[in-house]
Amino acid sequence: MGVFLESLIESFKLIFYLDKEVLSITLLSFKVSLTAVILASLIAIPLALLISNKVFGAKKILISIIHTGMALPPVVVGLIVYMFLSRNGLLGYLDLLYTPKAMIIAQIIIVFPIIIGISLSALNSVKKKIRETAITLGATKFQYAMKTIKEAKQGIVTAVITAFGRAIGEVGAIIIVGGNIRFHTRALTTAIVLETRRGEFAIAMALGIILIGLAFLINFTLTHIQQKKVELWTYSK
Amino acid sequence: MDLLKITNLTKSFGNKTILKNLNLTIKKGEIMGIFGKSGVGKTTLLRIINMLEEYEKGKIHFQGQNIKTRKLELQRKMAMVFQTPMLFNESVLSNVIFGLRVRGIDRTSAKKRAEKMLTQLGIKEFDKNASELSGGEAQRVVLIQAIIIYSDLLLLDEPSANLDEKNVKLLEKIILDLKKQQNTTVLIASHDAKHIKNICNKVFCLKNGKLSQVKT
Ligand SMILES: Nc1ncnc2c1ncn2[C@@H]1O[C@H](COP(=O)(O)OP(=O)(O)OP(=O)(O)O)[C@@H](O)[C@H]1O
Ligand SMILES: [Mg+2]
């Protein structure tokens, strides 16, 4: 019990005094995961819409692949990205290993299938009649797409929430490709691993609390968006 | 000129032929009714005209242009009310103005037109979510959603199915007004001739994939 109390006090201290290192760690975690989720969403959501609109033979296989991708072990993703980015790797010349960019790349790969998979099931549940209503009322392809996305909004935001949760709490991939370098690629999760190994349980726990707090903040914002009524920007001819 | 001209239209689902060499001509301003037993293909015919369904054989001309696959420009000259009303998960008002908004009409004027029509049809709660409407209210809202566009051709699939007698009368009045004010052409499908014979200039019976006229 003592450790918990101690770490709780420690975490409030760290937050209260805005410890420079903790701040940099927190910001990096936030930046990497948010960037990965946003970039992945920008491609995954339109792609999910495309897949849900099309009828083709290999659709079942494709969906199975996506679902498998949702369960991709982050360590394996980290390993693969590492091999591509390492000096002798195919993309070694980009010199990205042990940078936040490498961490973002790894996390994009992790969250991409999650966003596609959940968005796709949300989009598929938009009834054919609803889609046809938009068409018969004269929607352009773009207006039709926006309407479908709007109808599936709840599920799509769930996809983004799930993806962000996965990204911010993920450690296996970013520790491999980021290298956990102080003031450079050290994120909340990788710092927790380090502090725990060092026996600094209070600091580790404090970082854990910050991590959970951050996740809550993001989820709260996204849930707010999810429940809000939105007028989508669809109505330019 | 004929607004719509269908010649030798054939449509099958799998090996089941629904429409066989069907012919139909509609002139501008006509109110035309089609009735027939359940499953004869009334909905299918309306959906083909609305470019929601493809067909194998025959020719369809709408305002002189050939209809085969979807053309936005032609689609925007028609409006169809589906047999089972389905509304977007948003307010009644947003539902009703959708067709105007996609055509680039600003929200304020769209809203004005919508509120007038909704009030006329006895729907007062504009901001209510459409999912909270009763069956009859939803039926009236989808009707407004279509007629508010002032299209050249209005396709109504069983429009009176969920309506009580009072609202059926109202529906008939609205269609006649539309014809009077906009010279809108209307095509109504119903499983029962008595629903359409009052207001239609021409009534056809759909049977065995073909239309036969029963009233002139
Ligand atoms: N997408 C489809 N795939 C296969 N068969 C279909 C499809 N749509 C309609 N059918 C069949 O075509 C026939 C005609 O259907 P349609 O809906 O046009 O009938 P309807 O005259 O409108 O009937 P109702 O009065 O019950 O509405 C039916 O036998 C129906 O099962
Ligand atoms: Mg029908």
Side-chain angles (χ1 to χ4, degrees):
Chain A
M1 204 53 221
V3 181
F4 273 101
L5 201 65
E6 197 186 315
S7 61
L8 209 61
I9 294 164
E10 182 69 25
S11 71
F12 282 121
K13 266 198 218 153
L14 285 171
I15 298 164
F16 189 76
Y17 291 114
L18 226 63
D19 180 89
K20 206 172 112 217
E21 181 159 7
V22 171
L23 196 68
S24 112
I25 290 172
T26 307
L27 284 180
L28 183 80
S29 267
F30 188 68
K31 195 182 87 182
V32 166
S33 299
L34 199 68
T35 311
V37 170
I38 290 173
L39 290 180
S41 298
L42 287 178
I43 309 165
I45 296 170
L47 207 59
L49 188 68
L50 197 74
I51 297 170
S52 95
N53 278 340
K54 290 269 183 296
V55 182
F56 54 93
K59 195 159 173 170
K60 267 197 193 131
I61 297 171
L62 182 64
I63 292 175
S64 300
I65 292 171
I66 291 169
H67 286 167
T68 308
M70 289 169 75
L72 221 54
V75 205
V76 177
V77 174
L79 177 65
I80 293 167
V81 174
Y82 183 93
M83 295 200 308
F84 270 94
L85 296 184
S86 66
R87 190 162 307 165
N88 304 320
L90 217 57
L91 301 172
Y93 66 94
L94 291 174
D95 219 13
L96 287 176
L97 200 61
Y98 303 133
T99 65
K101 282 199 183 113
M103 296 159 79
I104 292 172
I105 293 170
Q107 291 207 334
I108 286 178
I109 296 172
I110 293 167
V111 298
F112 190 77
I114 296 177
I115 301 172
I116 284 211
I118 302 178
S119 299
L120 189 60
S121 98
L123 288 163
N124 284 342
S125 70
V126 178
K127 296 211 169 62
K128 189 178 160 212
K129 277 270 147 54
I130 279 285
R131 294 161 180 258
E132 287 184 341
T133 301
I135 290 173
T136 193
L137 290 173
T140 61
K141 283 208 172 95
F142 179 70
Q143 288 164 338
Y144 163 78
M146 292 315 269
K147 199 69 186 171
T148 315
I149 287 177
K150 193 180 166 191
E151 287 290 314
K153 192 188 85 180
Q154 291 248 346
I156 290 175
V157 177
T158 299
V160 175
I161 289 176
T162 311
F164 186 79
R166 188 87 192 278
I168 195 101
E170 185 276 319
V171 56
I174 58 169
I175 209 164
I176 295 178
V177 301
N180 199 18
I181 302 164
R182 201 175 172 204
F183 290 118
H184 184 46
T185 57
R186 185 165 297 167
L188 284 167
T189 49
T190 55
I192 291 171
V193 172
L194 184 80
E195 299 300 344
T196 307
R197 229 180 257 148
R198 274 188 188 155
E200 297 279 0
F201 297 122
I203 298 179
M205 190 54 101
L207 293 169
I209 289 169
I210 295 174
L211 180 62
I212 294 167
L214 193 64
F216 178 78
L217 215 69
I218 291 283
N219 281 328
F220 186 77
T221 313
L222 286 173
T223 307
H224 179 71
I225 294 172
Q226 188 177 37
Q227 305 302 331
K228 221 174 102 177
K229 289 179 186 167
V230 283
E231 170 92 7
L232 279 175
W233 55 100
T234 54
Y235 298 125
S236 50
K237 259 196 263 182
Chain B
M1 197 178 68
D2 302 326
L3 182 77
L4 183 79
K5 191 173 172 62
I6 301 178
T7 34
N8 291 322
L9 175 68
T10 300
K11 166 76 187 174
S12 323
F13 287 114
N15 53 18
K16 205 168 114 195
T17 305
I18 309 294
L19 307 173
K20 272 181 228 139
N21 295 318
L22 177 144
N23 295 298
L24 174 70
T25 306
I26 305 179
K27 290 198 165 50
K28 193 158 172 44
E30 279 183 327
I31 300 178
M32 191 166 282
I34 292 175
F35 72 95
K37 290 209 183 78
S38 175
V40 291
K42 303 178 294 291
T43 298
T44 305
L45 176 60
L46 261 52
R47 285 173 55 84
I48 290 174
I49 296 171
N50 200 214
M51 293 169 278
L52 293 170
E53 202 84 64
E54 304 204 330
Y55 55 93
E56 301 104 61
K57 264 184 20 208
K59 278 223 152 46
I60 302 180
H61 285 275
F62 176 72
Q63 295 184 337
Q65 293 200 60
N66 188 28
I67 286 181
K68 182 80 190 181
T69 48
R70 183 178 181 234
K71 282 191 198 119
L72 181 67
E73 155 219 0
L74 290 183
Q75 187 107 55
R76 287 193 168 175
K77 294 190 169 150
M78 313 177 190
M80 177 162 171
V81 175
F82 296 140
Q83 183 165 3
T84 31
M86 273 276 187
L87 288 157
F88 302 124
N89 181 21
E90 59 190 12
S91 73
V92 168
L93 188 77
S94 298
N95 263 285
V96 168
I97 63 176
F98 181 77
L100 297 177
R101 299 289 280 131
V102 295
R103 285 169 175 76
I105 293 170
D106 69 282
R107 198 180 157 84
T108 320
S109 18
K111 206 174 145 187
K112 224 169 100 192
R113 207 195 285 182
E115 289 181 348
K116 196 171 147 223
M117 286 186 167
L118 283 164
T119 314
Q120 200 186 355
L121 273 187
I123 291 160
K124 293 174 202 81
E125 291 163 290
F126 309 145
D127 294 326
K128 195 176 190 171
N129 189 287
S131 61
E132 291 156 6
L133 295 171
S134 76
E137 285 168 341
Q139 185 79 53
R140 276 174 278 160
V141 170
V142 291
L143 183 73
I144 299 171
Q145 205 176 31
I147 62 175
I148 200 170
I149 293 164
Y150 295 153
S151 58
D152 295 340
L153 176 63
L154 187 60
L155 304 162
L156 305 176
D157 197 357
E158 310 270 357
S160 45
N162 286 311
L163 300 181
D164 56 18
E165 209 159 314
K166 180 178 144 253
N167 279 308
V168 170
K169 286 271 169 298
L170 203 55
L171 169 75
E172 291 176 354
K173 184 180 172 312
I174 286 168
I175 293 171
L176 292 173
D177 282 353
L178 224 79
K179 146 89 183 123
K180 219 185 286 169
Q181 289 156 13
Q182 316 280 335
N183 200 23
T184 310
T185 313
V186 188
L187 179 57
I188 310 174
S190 174
H191 62 277
D192 197 334
K194 74 168 187 279
H195 285 152
I196 47 180
K197 65 172 192 286
N198 284 337
I199 56 164
C200 293
N201 323 118
K202 286 185 183 167
V203 177
F204 287 84
C205 174
L206 180 57
K207 204 176 163 186
N208 299 325
K210 280 196 171 60
L211 288 170
S212 49
Q213 192 161 354
V214 294
K215 175 190 159 187
T216 36

